[in-house]
Amino acid sequence: MKRSLEQYDQKELKEAMQEAETLGLSTHIDMKKDIQEAQDVLERIQHEQVFTQKLKLQLNADGKLQNGDKSTLSFEIEEQLQECEQFGMKTPLGRDLLEIGLKLVSLRKALHSADSR
């Protein structure tokens, strides 16, 4: 369970909690803290999934121009990335999407700067 907590792995956490329940360890005094921590992490993962879903949608939409308007192209994704950074993405998917988004915005800014010359 410790490794699953460190990795923020939802599937492994659920399996570890189920195994603890099956073995009757979930009520054991030494396991109560780990079980509570796992429940807290699972809840946080659920909140993070809202951010990852929004970020996925934004990354997909950001490559498409709305009526040819480039001025607002990266504004929404920058706002979404800022929210994700403030939340603190912990899952592998969340960290990967955040990194991709940040690199995309950085590349866009570099290209825009080069076009402006």
Side-chain angles (χ1 to χ4, degrees):
M1 188 176 295
K2 295 274 188 202
R3 188 177 70 77
S4 302
L5 286 167
E6 291 169 4
Q7 301 281 326
Y8 275 76
D9 188 316
Q10 184 178 29
K11 182 181 176 199
E12 284 187 25
L13 274 172
K14 285 182 178 181
E15 289 173 359
M17 289 179 66
Q18 182 62 42
E19 188 174 339
E21 182 72 33
T22 301
L23 296 172
L25 298 175
S26 60
T27 57
H28 194 273
I29 192 79
D30 294 334
M31 289 294 293
K32 282 190 177 188
K33 182 181 174 195
D34 289 337
I35 297 292
Q36 182 59 53
E37 187 177 356
Q39 289 171 338
D40 292 345
V41 167
L42 285 171
E43 187 176 314
R44 189 183 193 295
I45 288 171
Q46 287 178 331
H47 284 108
E48 186 172 318
Q49 286 174 337
V50 173
F51 285 96
T52 57
Q53 188 63 28
K54 286 180 183 178
L55 191 52
K56 276 186 202 178
L57 291 171
Q58 192 61 50
L59 284 168
N60 287 330
D62 200 52
K64 301 175 184 99
L65 293 177
Q66 301 283 325
N67 301 320
D69 184 9
K70 292 181 183 178
S71 62
T72 60
L73 195 57
S74 289
F75 178 74
E76 288 182 11
I77 194 167
E78 286 183 55
E79 197 173 85
Q80 186 65 45
L81 290 168
Q82 207 170 37
E83 288 178 17
C84 290
E85 284 182 312
Q86 288 173 352
F87 180 74
M89 306 301 267
K90 303 268 187 192
T91 64
L93 177 61
R95 289 191 312 264
D96 288 348
L97 287 173
L98 180 59
E99 183 179 345
I100 289 167
L102 291 170
K103 287 180 179 179
L104 174 68
V105 169
S106 179
L107 178 61
R108 282 250 168 86
K109 286 181 180 181
L111 290 172
H112 181 70
S113 177
D115 284 347
S116 298
R117 293 180 196 177

